[in-house]
Amino acid sequence: MNNESIKILSSPVMYLKSVGPKRAESFAKIGIHTVKDLLFYFPSRYLDRSTMLDSSKIYEYVINNYEGEVTILGKVIDKEIIRYARKEILKVQMRDSKGFFECVWFHGVKYMKDLFNPGDIFAVAGKPVLTKYGHLEFVHPDLDRITETESNQFLNTGKIIPVYRISKELKASNLGDLSLRRIINSAVEKYSAHLQETLPEEIISMHNLMPIIETVRNLHYPSDMQTLNEALHRLKFEEILYLEILIVLRKQNYQTKRVGNSFTIKTNLVSRFLKSLPFELTKAQLKVLGEIRRDMESAKPMNRLLQGDVGSGKTIVALIAMLISKDNGFQSALMVPTEVLAMQHFNNISRLVNPFGIKTALLIGGQKKSERNVILKMLASGELDFIIGTHALFEENVEFNNLGFVIIDEQHRFGVAQRLNIISKGISPDVIVMSATPIPRTLSMTVYGDLDVSVIDEMPKNRKPIKTYLRGEKKLPEIYKFIIDKAKAGLKTYIIYPLVKESDKLELKAAIAHYEELKNHHLKNLQVGLIHGQMSSKEKDEAMSAFAQGQYDVLVGTTVIEVGIDIPEANIIIINDAHRFGLSQLHQLRGRVGRGNQQSFCILVTRDEFAEKINSAINSEFLSPSQLEKQKTITRLQSMVKYNSGFDIAEIDFKLRGPGDVFGVRQSGMPELKYINVVEDTTLIMQARDAAFRLIAEDPNLSFPSHKVIRTNLISSYKDKLHYSKIA
Ligand code: ADP
Ligand code: MG
């Protein structure tokens, strides 16, 4: 490699034209230190002439009631500040070749007004409306400033304009659309020729990829859409290829290092246990159990993801696998994210398996030291068969006699490191991780690529779909009446108040105040209990058990009951301030009911305005960007009313939040995907995956000279991800 080039690319951005120390500092804050970093700061989007509309087209569009965003290029003619109800409103008049339009700001007027001077050209993006005087208006649109030259090229030659994200750090040193584009443009022209190829020649030619220098140039200044797409393709391919290589290395490491146990059915323990259950397993549960048994029999350590919607009956499957492990003389550990859930699993599981002489214990943070010591001793001596617990399980002083099987419930709550930590307490134990969030196949193959996947895709029989309603706060009196009526028929209710953080004192206070009010006032003739995260584990356990045993009609709680809680007698869940919860969280909460064979209800309580709007399904009101969060909120609530299945819910959540947030990708120990869309780029992912597998099969240690570039790049760009592999 050329040392001169490396030196140039790694020189600080400070010395670039128009940068200097102050701007360099701003760049550093968003991770841009060197010239190379800047070359890899790609546009977040592009202005493409084919997606622009002129004012006469937009007029048509609005007249025909189309909704959605449009982009238009306009020149500033004039601006004015209007006072209305003691507030300032900024109006900017603009025009394009076909006519006039106006942009309006109700907030930030002081800052915005200085942005516009007659003759300035902007790309304006937003949702257009017609004013009562019949002209086009954009309220709080997005703006990108464009030079005269750019706009001429754009209109005459169809050149595409890159738009870079301008964070507040960049703004702070006066970097705007124009200045940033100029700085990057000049860096690309001067220095991109020094970039070194980051993919092996064989892969580039086999997959017909664009070389790195062209890719970088075209991402910044594409000549046309076709070229831009090719450059993007290369970028995505490279991103996913490296991720797949990491996965293959991890998998290789995992399998060669360990030889697992081979578990077979030894006695009639499992069949006796199955007979003792009050129900039969569903077809889906049996199928999954078959897959698990096959893995357990094989000497290759099992590493399996068990997926199934809330209430599909994952726990019982896991428990049967634990029994198989016991049958072979091994201990099992079940790790869950919350104390409440650990206590529930402990109570249920010990009740089910005690008759078979199986010893089960609970290990959580809130236990007394003496109690804990007894458990630890029994665990180390092998007296205990099953241990159920929280994070407390992977503390250092927890030792097993022979841990052969590990189950991790609600796995998205744990990181890879924690997963490995508990696993390391056994000698190659078999591992199952369970999750209620359906993960798209491409994602499970990529990000969770070292796991095999089993899906329970069927609910137990006799379940009735939960009826979900959305109600405004003013309906609360009626809702209380509903709870009271249903309580007479023996139905139990959860009432949930949002607590963003269980440690938030103020919100907790509010939730407790609501509880007092319900207990002493609205629901005074019912038995009302309370549970929240600040209670001791003993208090929490008592509250849950009392509710499970029917001592309460109503359990008021925070999100401590969000995951996993299973009380089939609970049929109604009221979720207050539903707009404050995420979609998958709402689905999880709703999954607390509908677990028996009675009709269940989920009532989402929200602001009257939301409820009215959604229930009447009228949503033509214009939403300005500051209100776009509101649009998402409405979509979330709407989907809850419309869909019952976790698959549908996950798909929408995915669209609203992106895969990283939804599926715990951040905790998976894998690099975040910046360019790949796991839903849309399936073909490309499969190609890159094949390429990665072939590459490592051929050259497991990446020692071929032609693969040196991969090795170098892995070590320079993915160093922190390598400790699960041998390359480090
Ligand atoms: P999740 O998949 O959400 O963890 P659980 O394992 O908590 O679901 O199961 C939900 C409820 O369904 C439990 O009360 C469990 O006993 C019950 N259940 C599990 N399997 C069946 C089945 N095949 N038939 C009827 N009920 C079942
Ligand atoms: Mg569960």
Side-chain angles (χ1 to χ4, degrees), residues 578-688:
H579 52 271
R580 291 184 52 197
F581 293 92
L583 188 50
S584 59
Q585 212 182 359
L586 287 173
H587 183 66
Q588 272 285 348
L589 281 167
R590 173 169 62 184
R592 297 315 111 216
V593 300
R595 299 180 152 250
N597 37 28
Q598 293 251 35
Q599 177 61 56
S600 291
F601 304 89
C602 167
I603 304 179
L604 307 168
V605 182
T606 183
R607 287 188 205 143
D608 293 322
E609 45 158 341
F610 286 154
E612 266 158 38
K613 182 177 277 177
I614 294 166
N615 285 331
S616 61
I618 294 170
N619 183 23
S620 51
E621 186 205 330
F622 175 74
L623 295 163
S624 70
S626 63
Q627 290 172 305
L628 279 180
E629 258 319 299
K630 193 160 132 188
Q631 179 66 55
K632 286 189 185 174
T633 306
I634 286 172
T635 309
R636 286 202 300 271
L637 296 173
Q638 223 162 8
S639 340
M640 281 295 291
V641 179
K642 205 161 153 196
Y643 299 109
N644 248 315
S645 133
F647 282 87
D648 293 326
I649 296 283
E651 201 174 300
I652 295 166
D653 204 21
F654 196 90
K655 285 189 188 135
L656 291 176
R657 292 199 294 155
D661 287 334
V662 181
F663 301 107
V665 173
R666 300 228 162 92
Q667 287 134 24
S668 69
M670 281 294 168
E672 258 178 71
L673 295 168
K674 268 169 49 192
Y675 308 109
I676 281 280
N677 177 323
V678 284
V679 175
E680 283 164 12
D681 299 323
T682 324
T683 321
L684 197 150
I685 292 174
M686 292 309 176
Q687 285 170 356

Side-chain angles (χ1 to χ4, degrees), residues 244-524:
E244 293 293 348
I245 289 174
L246 284 170
I247 286 170
V248 190
L249 291 174
R250 191 198 272 186
K251 194 166 187 165
Q252 169 186 283
N253 183 43
Y254 190 79
Q255 285 180 351
T256 51
K257 217 172 68 191
R258 316 176 343 144
V259 178
N261 310 301
S262 179
F263 293 150
T264 51
I265 302 256
K266 297 264 173 10
T267 67
N268 61 2
L269 175 66
V270 172
S271 59
R272 278 190 297 142
F273 174 77
L274 285 175
K275 278 203 202 92
S276 76
L277 287 177
F279 50 75
E280 282 186 7
L281 296 186
T282 61
K283 268 207 218 80
Q285 284 170 318
L286 287 170
K287 175 196 73 187
V288 165
L289 201 55
E291 291 164 357
I292 293 173
R293 267 186 57 185
R294 230 167 298 136
D295 274 5
M296 293 180 90
E297 273 168 26
S298 141
K300 188 187 119 199
M302 163 161 68
N303 200 17
R304 191 169 275 281
L305 169 67
L306 172 53
Q307 227 178 271
D309 204 350
V310 278
S312 62
K314 296 184 285 293
T315 316
I316 206 79
V317 172
L319 178 56
I320 293 165
M322 287 163 80
L323 289 171
I324 298 176
S325 154
K326 155 74 184 165
D327 209 14
N328 287 268
F330 283 89
Q331 293 175 303
S332 299
L334 170 59
M335 186 163 89
V336 303
T338 68
E339 289 191 354
V340 178
L341 190 52
M343 292 184 289
Q344 168 195 291
H345 276 321
F346 171 70
N347 292 335
N348 289 346
I349 290 176
S350 44
R351 181 171 43 82
L352 289 171
V353 303
N354 278 351
F356 301 92
I358 290 168
K359 285 243 159 54
T360 306
L362 176 73
L363 194 70
I364 53 179
Q367 277 164 322
K368 275 203 218 88
K369 199 144 188 226
S370 52
E371 191 180 353
R372 186 185 159 87
N373 285 341
V374 173
I375 295 168
L376 289 182
K377 224 187 232 150
M378 287 167 68
L379 199 58
S381 71
E383 258 176 277
L384 280 178
D385 302 306
F386 296 171
I387 185 99
I388 296 160
T390 55
H391 298 74
L393 276 179
F394 48 71
E395 273 165 29
E396 231 170 80
N397 58 357
V398 179
E399 272 171 42
F400 289 80
N401 180 42
N402 60 349
L403 177 63
F405 189 56
V406 172
I407 297 172
I408 299 169
D409 197 8
E410 309 294 345
Q411 65 88 29
H412 58 284
R413 303 262 175 147
F414 296 99
V416 168
Q418 295 172 320
R419 208 165 91 196
L420 293 180
N421 200 326
I422 173 85
I423 293 168
S424 71
K425 294 194 180 281
I427 303 156
S428 303
D430 279 340
V431 179
I432 292 182
V433 298
M434 305 202 285
S435 167
T437 316
I439 297 168
R441 199 177 132 73
T442 40
L443 186 70
S444 61
M445 285 184 72
T446 51
V447 179
Y448 298 110
D450 53 344
L451 300 173
D452 298 308
V453 183
S454 288
V455 185
I456 303 184
D457 50 7
E458 177 189 8
M459 285 291 182
K461 283 189 223 60
N462 306 330
R463 294 274 172 84
K464 294 193 180 73
I466 303 163
K467 291 191 174 159
T468 305
Y469 302 98
L470 185 73
R471 293 291 176 256
E473 276 150 6
K474 66 174 181 217
K475 291 276 160 78
L476 276 170
E478 284 166 55
I479 294 171
Y480 296 140
K481 195 169 162 292
F482 177 79
I483 296 172
I484 295 165
D485 280 350
K486 292 289 179 186
K488 282 182 197 139
L491 270 62
K492 311 266 172 240
T493 302
Y494 294 109
I495 301 184
I496 308 297
Y497 290 96
L499 228 62
V500 176
K501 272 202 230 108
E502 281 291 341
S503 57
D504 190 317
K505 293 264 173 4
L506 264 178
E507 290 200 317
L508 179 61
K509 232 171 145 179
I512 293 173
H514 284 302
Y515 158 73
E516 301 282 347
E517 198 186 322
L518 290 171
K519 188 176 138 129
N520 300 324
H521 190 58
H522 307 295
L523 305 176
K524 62 172 181 283

